[in-house]
Amino acid sequence: MKTTTSSIIIAIIIIASSVFIAGRNNNNSPSENINNVSEINGEQIITINAKGGYFPRTTIAKAEIATILKITTKGTFDCSSAINIPSLNYRANLPASGETIINISPQKTGTTITGLCAMGMYNFSVNFN
Ligand SMILES: [Cu+2]
């Protein structure tokens, strides 16, 4: 009887810790491991979500390959919808919901492209390696 009670308590502790760990891995920490880069027909597609900032904040992409930057918005009414990518000379007001495609020519290894909101308080970067 005593053993059964202990087993139940241990099981509860294990379940509670798993839920806690799963919850912690769900945030947007700098070490996030989101796979937002895919490759289709020799083109690299990088997806960035714009809403209350840009996510993921940092993307590691391939150098020397034609790249499409796909910015998605979904009920985005904050200033992350006013995007500015200085090194590409790109500025746009994104739709509140939708996808905006930005074509990027192949980048040299070591290049970093940074995007900002109009006021410069939100940003993201793509590192080409
Ligand atoms: Cu802003």
Side-chain angles (χ1 to χ4, degrees):
M1 191 63 188
K2 203 161 194 258
T3 315
T4 311
T5 311
S6 307
S7 307
I8 291 171
I9 290 170
I10 289 167
I12 289 170
I13 290 169
I14 291 170
I15 292 165
S17 345
S18 319
V19 169
F20 179 71
I21 291 164
R24 276 173 58 91
N25 286 343
N26 232 348
N27 63 11
N28 285 303
S29 66
S31 59
E32 64 201 323
N33 201 5
I34 298 168
N35 185 13
N36 64 322
V37 182
S38 60
E39 219 176 297
I40 297 170
N41 299 328
E43 271 190 322
Q44 171 172 241
I45 301 164
I46 300 167
T47 306
I48 305 282
N49 298 311
K51 186 173 183 173
Y54 302 103
F55 304 97
R57 291 280 307 280
T58 307
T59 300
I60 307 291
K62 268 192 201 172
E64 311 291 357
I65 175 174
T67 299
I68 289 170
L69 191 57
K70 187 163 85 176
I71 313 287
T72 63
T73 45
K74 198 172 181 186
T76 303
F77 297 102
D78 59 85
C79 71
S80 58
S81 65
I83 195 171
N84 177 19
I85 307 174
S87 64
L88 300 178
N89 230 337
Y90 181 88
R91 271 174 187 277
N93 289 311
L94 305 171
S97 295
E99 286 181 353
T100 302
I101 300 295
I102 304 164
N103 289 295
I104 302 177
S105 56
Q107 298 293 306
K108 290 197 175 113
T109 303
T111 305
T112 298
I113 287 180
T114 302
L116 305 151
C117 69
M119 298 184 304
M121 64 179 182
Y122 297 131
N123 63 70
F124 68 91
S125 62
V126 181
N127 303 317
F128 293 89
N129 285 317

